[in-house]
Amino acid sequence: MPFPPPVRTLSGPRRRTLLASAAGAALMAGCSSGEGGSGKEKPGAGPSASASARARARAASDSAGLLERYDAVLAVHPALTARLAPLRAEVARHVTAFGGAERGTRTSPSASASASASASASASPGVPPAPAVVVPADAKAALADLAGAERTLSDLRVAALVDLPGEPARLLASVAASGAAHAYLLTEGAR
């Protein structure tokens, strides 16, 4: 008499967890603020260097805008701090890796809004300008909006990879993968 197959209970998306971990590992390996990791690229050498500099500046600005989104959500929903703090810290590292500086710190909704308003004039086409960010009163909706911003920015960064050489492309790809993992983590936790 054959034994019946074992009852298998699915405890979670193991494959997705592995992919998110791989994206995090790629982030840790790829986010360095060093210039020209291969030694072949020299700052200021030709059109690819200026394209790289523009892409770095745009990526730093986009990451700073995303950081402001995290701050706005945390200001309205402080109960999400434990969940969002590690993701926010990664976004802050992305700003630094691209050579940018954090535009603001997490203080209050009005301080976040005023910092967002001052940055709106120089906002790039990546993440929608922060003044347009209205944090929903529902925490799940706020997480969904944040996940959408992460996903949109990740998609824009993947599209921008075509125009970049070597090290800047690797850095942007790594941060795009991190953004996709953040979007996944923000949406999966809401289920």
Side-chain angles (χ1 to χ4, degrees):
M1 175 172 163
F3 291 107
V7 178
R8 181 176 168 185
T9 59
L10 298 176
S11 62
R14 295 176 195 265
R15 185 178 301 158
R16 290 180 183 165
T17 303
L18 178 63
L19 290 173
S21 298
L27 170 70
M28 298 304 283
C31 278
S32 65
S33 60
E35 294 288 331
S38 64
K40 295 178 184 176
E41 301 168 14
K42 296 178 184 174
S48 68
S50 63
S52 295
R54 284 192 308 272
R56 272 183 175 267
R58 184 174 51 248
S61 175
D62 290 346
S63 291
L66 187 59
L67 187 63
E68 290 175 358
R69 280 179 173 261
Y70 272 93
D71 289 342
V73 170
L74 286 169
V76 174
H77 301 286
L80 296 174
T81 300
R83 183 169 176 193
L84 295 181
L87 302 177
R88 184 200 179 278
E90 287 298 315
V91 173
R93 284 188 205 110
H94 298 165
V95 173
T96 305
F98 288 123
E102 293 183 37
R103 288 192 277 211
T105 57
R106 190 166 31 117
T107 54
S108 68
S110 61
S112 177
S114 64
S116 299
S118 66
S120 67
S122 63
S124 68
V127 174
V133 175
V134 176
V135 178
D138 180 42
K140 285 187 178 185
L143 289 175
D145 285 351
L146 200 52
E150 286 272 17
R151 194 174 299 111
T152 300
L153 184 54
S154 177
D155 291 344
L156 288 170
R157 287 178 170 164
V158 168
L161 289 174
V162 177
D163 301 327
L164 295 176
E167 185 63 26
R170 285 187 290 273
L171 177 60
L172 195 62
S174 175
V175 174
S178 173
H182 287 185
Y184 169 79
L185 292 171
L186 288 167
T187 55
E188 270 308 299
R191 292 183 185 184

PDB file of all heavy atoms in Angstrom, residues 57-58 61-62 103 116-125 129:
ATOM      1  N   ALA A  57      23.602  62.829 -10.764  1.00  0.00           N
ATOM      2  CA  ALA A  57      22.897  63.955 -10.144  1.00  0.00           C
ATOM      3  C   ALA A  57      21.384  63.721 -10.164  1.00  0.00           C
ATOM      4  O   ALA A  57      20.695  63.966  -9.170  1.00  0.00           O
ATOM      5  CB  ALA A  57      23.236  65.254 -10.872  1.00  0.00           C
ATOM      6  N   ARG A  58      20.873  63.225 -11.294  1.00  0.00           N
ATOM      7  CA  ARG A  58      19.442  62.938 -11.396  1.00  0.00           C
ATOM      8  C   ARG A  58      19.051  61.827 -10.418  1.00  0.00           C
ATOM      9  O   ARG A  58      18.039  61.918  -9.736  1.00  0.00           O
ATOM     10  CB  ARG A  58      19.090  62.539 -12.828  1.00  0.00           C
ATOM     11  CG  ARG A  58      17.613  62.324 -13.055  1.00  0.00           C
ATOM     12  CD  ARG A  58      17.261  62.080 -14.520  1.00  0.00           C
ATOM     13  NE  ARG A  58      18.065  61.037 -15.130  1.00  0.00           N
ATOM     14  CZ  ARG A  58      18.971  61.238 -16.079  1.00  0.00           C
ATOM     15  NH1 ARG A  58      19.202  62.462 -16.521  1.00  0.00           N
ATOM     16  NH2 ARG A  58      19.658  60.233 -16.591  1.00  0.00           N
ATOM     17  N   SER A  61      19.003  63.157  -6.895  1.00  0.00           N
ATOM     18  CA  SER A  61      17.812  63.979  -6.683  1.00  0.00           C
ATOM     19  C   SER A  61      16.561  63.108  -6.543  1.00  0.00           C
ATOM     20  O   SER A  61      15.716  63.354  -5.673  1.00  0.00           O
ATOM     21  CB  SER A  61      17.649  64.947  -7.857  1.00  0.00           C
ATOM     22  OG  SER A  61      16.461  65.669  -7.750  1.00  0.00           O
ATOM     23  N   ASP A  62      16.448  62.083  -7.393  1.00  0.00           N
ATOM     24  CA  ASP A  62      15.298  61.182  -7.309  1.00  0.00           C
ATOM     25  C   ASP A  62      15.280  60.444  -5.977  1.00  0.00           C
ATOM     26  O   ASP A  62      14.226  60.293  -5.356  1.00  0.00           O
ATOM     27  CB  ASP A  62      15.326  60.168  -8.455  1.00  0.00           C
ATOM     28  CG  ASP A  62      15.037  60.803  -9.804  1.00  0.00           C
ATOM     29  OD1 ASP A  62      14.553  61.950  -9.841  1.00  0.00           O
ATOM     30  OD2 ASP A  62      15.307  60.135 -10.827  1.00  0.00           O
ATOM     31  N   ARG A 103      18.204  66.069   1.766  1.00  0.00           N
ATOM     32  CA  ARG A 103      17.636  67.419   1.767  1.00  0.00           C
ATOM     33  C   ARG A 103      16.941  67.755   3.055  1.00  0.00           C
ATOM     34  O   ARG A 103      16.732  68.913   3.363  1.00  0.00           O
ATOM     35  CB  ARG A 103      16.655  67.572   0.614  1.00  0.00           C
ATOM     36  CG  ARG A 103      17.342  67.633  -0.720  1.00  0.00           C
ATOM     37  CD  ARG A 103      16.372  68.061  -1.758  1.00  0.00           C
ATOM     38  NE  ARG A 103      15.609  66.914  -2.220  1.00  0.00           N
ATOM     39  CZ  ARG A 103      15.136  66.795  -3.439  1.00  0.00           C
ATOM     40  NH1 ARG A 103      15.327  67.730  -4.311  1.00  0.00           N
ATOM     41  NH2 ARG A 103      14.433  65.745  -3.787  1.00  0.00           N
ATOM     42  N   SER A 116       9.964  69.896   1.153  1.00  0.00           N
ATOM     43  CA  SER A 116       9.528  69.402  -0.147  1.00  0.00           C
ATOM     44  C   SER A 116       9.230  70.563  -1.082  1.00  0.00           C
ATOM     45  O   SER A 116       9.535  70.507  -2.260  1.00  0.00           O
ATOM     46  CB  SER A 116       8.287  68.532  -0.006  1.00  0.00           C
ATOM     47  OG  SER A 116       8.571  67.424   0.801  1.00  0.00           O
ATOM     48  N   ALA A 117       8.611  71.601  -0.558  1.00  0.00           N
ATOM     49  CA  ALA A 117       8.263  72.746  -1.392  1.00  0.00           C
ATOM     50  C   ALA A 117       9.512  73.445  -1.916  1.00  0.00           C
ATOM     51  O   ALA A 117       9.552  73.875  -3.060  1.00  0.00           O
ATOM     52  CB  ALA A 117       7.411  73.729  -0.602  1.00  0.00           C
ATOM     53  N   SER A 118      10.545  73.531  -1.106  1.00  0.00           N
ATOM     54  CA  SER A 118      11.763  74.189  -1.571  1.00  0.00           C
ATOM     55  C   SER A 118      12.498  73.356  -2.598  1.00  0.00           C
ATOM     56  O   SER A 118      13.225  73.885  -3.429  1.00  0.00           O
ATOM     57  CB  SER A 118      12.688  74.486  -0.387  1.00  0.00           C
ATOM     58  OG  SER A 118      13.151  73.271   0.170  1.00  0.00           O
ATOM     59  N   ALA A 119      12.297  72.044  -2.575  1.00  0.00           N
ATOM     60  CA  ALA A 119      12.987  71.170  -3.519  1.00  0.00           C
ATOM     61  C   ALA A 119      12.203  70.970  -4.806  1.00  0.00           C
ATOM     62  O   ALA A 119      12.723  70.412  -5.756  1.00  0.00           O
ATOM     63  CB  ALA A 119      13.242  69.817  -2.872  1.00  0.00           C
ATOM     64  N   SER A 120      10.956  71.433  -4.861  1.00  0.00           N
ATOM     65  CA  SER A 120      10.115  71.142  -6.015  1.00  0.00           C
ATOM     66  C   SER A 120      10.614  71.810  -7.288  1.00  0.00           C
ATOM     67  O   SER A 120      10.406  71.291  -8.370  1.00  0.00           O
ATOM     68  CB  SER A 120       8.676  71.566  -5.738  1.00  0.00           C
ATOM     69  OG  SER A 120       8.608  72.968  -5.626  1.00  0.00           O
ATOM     70  N   ALA A 121      11.264  72.934  -7.192  1.00  0.00           N
ATOM     71  CA  ALA A 121      11.736  73.627  -8.375  1.00  0.00           C
ATOM     72  C   ALA A 121      12.821  72.837  -9.094  1.00  0.00           C
ATOM     73  O   ALA A 121      12.945  72.899 -10.309  1.00  0.00           O
ATOM     74  CB  ALA A 121      12.258  75.012  -8.004  1.00  0.00           C
ATOM     75  N   SER A 122      13.605  72.061  -8.358  1.00  0.00           N
ATOM     76  CA  SER A 122      14.692  71.321  -8.978  1.00  0.00           C
ATOM     77  C   SER A 122      14.382  69.837  -9.105  1.00  0.00           C
ATOM     78  O   SER A 122      15.268  69.047  -9.328  1.00  0.00           O
ATOM     79  CB  SER A 122      15.970  71.493  -8.152  1.00  0.00           C
ATOM     80  OG  SER A 122      15.764  70.941  -6.874  1.00  0.00           O
ATOM     81  N   ALA A 123      13.123  69.456  -8.974  1.00  0.00           N
ATOM     82  CA  ALA A 123      12.761  68.037  -9.042  1.00  0.00           C
ATOM     83  C   ALA A 123      12.966  67.515 -10.454  1.00  0.00           C
ATOM     84  O   ALA A 123      12.741  68.205 -11.433  1.00  0.00           O
ATOM     85  CB  ALA A 123      11.322  67.846  -8.609  1.00  0.00           C
ATOM     86  N   SER A 124      13.395  66.281 -10.549  1.00  0.00           N
ATOM     87  CA  SER A 124      13.626  65.660 -11.841  1.00  0.00           C
ATOM     88  C   SER A 124      12.392  64.892 -12.278  1.00  0.00           C
ATOM     89  O   SER A 124      11.460  64.713 -11.504  1.00  0.00           O
ATOM     90  CB  SER A 124      14.834  64.740 -11.741  1.00  0.00           C
ATOM     91  OG  SER A 124      14.514  63.659 -10.910  1.00  0.00           O
ATOM     92  N   PRO A 125      12.399  64.382 -13.506  1.00  0.00           N
ATOM     93  CA  PRO A 125      11.227  63.677 -13.987  1.00  0.00           C
ATOM     94  C   PRO A 125      11.046  62.299 -13.367  1.00  0.00           C
ATOM     95  O   PRO A 125      10.087  61.625 -13.653  1.00  0.00           O
ATOM     96  CB  PRO A 125      11.483  63.569 -15.483  1.00  0.00           C
ATOM     97  CG  PRO A 125      12.948  63.657 -15.639  1.00  0.00           C
ATOM     98  CD  PRO A 125      13.408  64.544 -14.525  1.00  0.00           C
ATOM     99  N   PRO A 129       7.187  65.290  -7.901  1.00  0.00           N
ATOM    100  CA  PRO A 129       7.646  66.217  -6.878  1.00  0.00           C
ATOM    101  C   PRO A 129       6.950  65.973  -5.547  1.00  0.00           C
ATOM    102  O   PRO A 129       5.776  65.657  -5.487  1.00  0.00           O
ATOM    103  CB  PRO A 129       7.312  67.600  -7.434  1.00  0.00           C
ATOM    104  CG  PRO A 129       6.602  67.402  -8.704  1.00  0.00           C
ATOM    105  CD  PRO A 129       6.602  65.953  -9.048  1.00  0.00           C
TER     106      PRO A 129
END
